[in-house]
Every structure is written in structure tokens, then in C-alpha cells.
Amino acid sequence: MTTTTLDKAADVVVADERPRKRRRGLAPGKRLPAARLTGPLLVLVLWAVASAAEALDAAAIPAPWTVVKTGAQLWTDGTLITDILTSLQRAASGFAIGLAAGIVLALASGLTRTGEALIDGTVNLNRAIPTLGLIPLFILWLGIGETFKIAIIAIVVYIPIYLNTHAALSGIDNRFVELAEVQGLSKLRFIREIVIPGALPGFFVGLRLGVTGSWLGLVVLEQINATSGLGYMMFQAQNYGQSDVILVGLVVYGIFGLASDSTVRLIERRVLSWRRTLSS
């Protein structure tokens, strides 16, 4: 009887050691190439079909081919390329300042209690104030030229970068800190091997929001005492009722926004290739 009982127990152990069949269908599946372009292309097709069927008022929403023709004319006479370069320069300058400020402030606040006491509350107060509402005050401080535009863009950029990076730093498991102390890691090695890898996912979320915010702020700022830029071009087109020119500006903004966001996502996947997530 004892032998029979042992045999049954052995059979149970062997059965438990058999590889269990993996359930499928819960994950989203493999990433499709250029999948993010499907939505914009669908919108473009619906726009073209509605325009061809004369379901849209051509004066309010011109057909896609009309917008393309207008864009080609603006590009040929040099107006569009000049405005694009001006907008890119403003966005890049403000983004660079905001990126640096967001990273430095997040590290100072996330790694020291003194920095957190001095910085975190101030940044959250700034976040609670509508950034575009600061425009009149910044005009009084910095004048009506380019400086205040770049400063506003920098504020729009640094807030999401700071918030997400600081949240990622605060969310690092304390067990990793204890392990680093046991291993005798120096402060520099601790930051390089634990803090930075742990904060990168949150940083990239903030970076994507910052990139988008730079374009959103730019379209408003370029309508204030500007003589060039995509926002200025659209503002002038509004005065003359040129809806096709306005749509050209919106399309260019959309292309730059989608391209910059896709670039950040690509960098994120390369840098964080060690992570296994649903989007991998």
C-alpha cells in the first residue's frame, strides 16, 4: 500500500512538472508597421470623399487637393519655408530650455528632501496657473519680442517633464535603495545604475507631453506681435478669409507634432529595449 501511495505521489509531481499550456489572446499582438498612420489616413480619405460628394462647404473646409495646391504655391514663393523655419527655431529654443530645466529640477527635487521642499510645491503652483495666462505678465517683463515667446514655450515644456520624472523617481522601490546600500554603491553609481534606469519610463512620458506642448503653445504665441511663423501665417489668413491657408498651417503643425512624437517613441523603444511591456 505504501508503494502504491508513493507511485501516486510521483505521478502527481510528474504531472505538475509538465509544461503548462500558455493562454493566448490576452496580449494586443504583434505591432503592425506604420499602424499609427491608419487613423490620420482614414480621416484624410473621409475628408476627400465628403469633399468630392460636395457634402462640405468648400469655403469653410476646402478639399484636400485644394489645400495641397495652396501649400505648393506657398512653398514655391518661399513664404511657407520661411514660416516653417521660424517656427522650428522658436519651438526648438523653448523646448531645449524647458527640457534642461525639467530634468535638473526633477533630479534636485527627487533625490533630496531639501530640493523637494523648495521645488516641488513651487512647480505644482506654477502648474495650477494657466501658462498662457502668464503672457501679459511676461510681455511686461521681457518685452513683446522673441524672448517672451521662448520663455512661455519653455514653461509649457518643463512642467510635464518635471512632473513625470519626479513621479518616476519617487516611485523607485525602496528595496533597490537598500540593496545599493548593502552593495556599497557610491552616490554616482547609485544614480547611474538605479535612479536613471528607474526614472526613464516616466521621463519619456513627460518628454512626449513636452514635445506636444511646445507646438500647442507655439500656435498661440505666433499670433502675438509676430511677423513670421506658421501661427502668424494662419492669423493673417483669418483676416482675409483664406481657410485653405489656415488648413495648410494646421496640417504642417500636425505633421511636425506627429513626427516629433514618433521620434520620441522610437528613441524610447531603443533606450528601454530591456523592458517587456504590452507595447513591445
Side-chain angles (χ1 to χ4, degrees):
M1 181 173 181
T2 305
T3 304
T4 305
T5 304
L6 292 176
D7 291 340
K8 290 181 178 180
D11 292 339
V12 172
V13 172
V14 172
D16 290 339
E17 290 179 351
R18 292 174 184 171
R20 296 182 180 179
K21 186 176 180 181
R22 182 181 175 184
R23 294 184 62 186
R24 298 185 181 275
L26 298 179
K30 293 184 178 180
R31 182 183 298 274
L32 300 176
R36 300 186 69 215
L37 296 178
T38 304
L41 288 176
L42 179 60
V43 172
L44 180 61
V45 169
L46 293 176
W47 180 16
V49 171
S51 298
E54 298 183 353
L56 298 175
D57 183 3
I61 306 178
W65 43 88
T66 303
V67 175
V68 171
K69 181 180 178 181
T70 302
Q73 292 175 347
L74 293 173
W75 183 275
T76 302
D77 63 25
T79 302
L80 185 58
I81 184 62
T82 301
D83 290 332
I84 287 176
L85 292 176
T86 302
S87 295
L88 285 175
Q89 182 179 2
R90 287 173 181 149
S93 300
F95 179 78
I97 297 172
L99 175 62
I103 293 174
V104 171
L105 292 175
L107 289 175
S109 178
L111 297 179
T112 64
R113 295 302 182 190
T114 302
E116 184 177 27
L118 294 175
I119 296 172
D120 192 58
T122 306
V123 174
N124 279 280
L125 176 63
N126 189 1
R127 179 174 67 95
I129 300 174
T131 304
L132 296 181
L134 296 173
I135 290 177
L137 186 60
F138 272 62
I139 290 176
L140 292 177
W141 287 350
L142 304 175
I144 199 73
E146 293 294 310
T147 306
F148 98 91
K149 297 181 177 67
I150 294 174
I152 293 293
I153 293 173
I155 293 175
V156 172
V157 170
Y158 101 88
I159 291 178
I161 291 177
Y162 168 85
L163 291 175
N164 286 276
T165 306
H166 181 267
L169 288 170
S170 302
I172 294 177
D173 197 322
N174 194 54
R175 288 175 295 180
F176 292 115
V177 181
E178 295 173 354
L179 179 61
E181 292 173 350
V182 171
Q183 295 294 323
L185 297 185
S186 64
K187 189 74 172 180
L188 184 60
R189 282 192 63 191
F190 170 69
I191 294 175
R192 185 177 68 248
E193 298 179 11
I194 294 179
V195 171
I196 293 179
L200 279 177
F203 164 73
F204 276 111
V205 173
L207 187 62
R208 290 180 60 193
L209 294 173
V211 168
T212 305
S214 65
W215 295 111
L216 294 177
L218 188 66
V219 69
V220 176
L221 294 168
E222 287 189 329
Q223 298 181 27
I224 302 175
N225 193 45
T227 57
S228 61
L230 292 171
Y232 170 77
M233 180 188 75
M234 294 167 61
F235 182 72
Q236 292 296 106
Q238 173 194 341
N239 294 333
Y240 294 102
Q242 298 172 315
S243 57
D244 53 343
V245 177
I246 296 176
L247 284 174
V248 169
L250 292 176
V251 168
V252 173
Y253 273 126
I255 291 174
F256 281 140
L258 183 61
S260 55
D261 182 71
S262 299
T263 301
V264 174
R265 289 168 65 97
L266 178 61
I267 296 172
E268 180 183 11
R269 284 199 298 270
R270 295 289 178 86
V271 173
L272 303 180
S273 58
W274 48 269
R275 291 198 309 168
R276 295 183 61 84
T277 64
L278 288 177
S279 62
S280 298

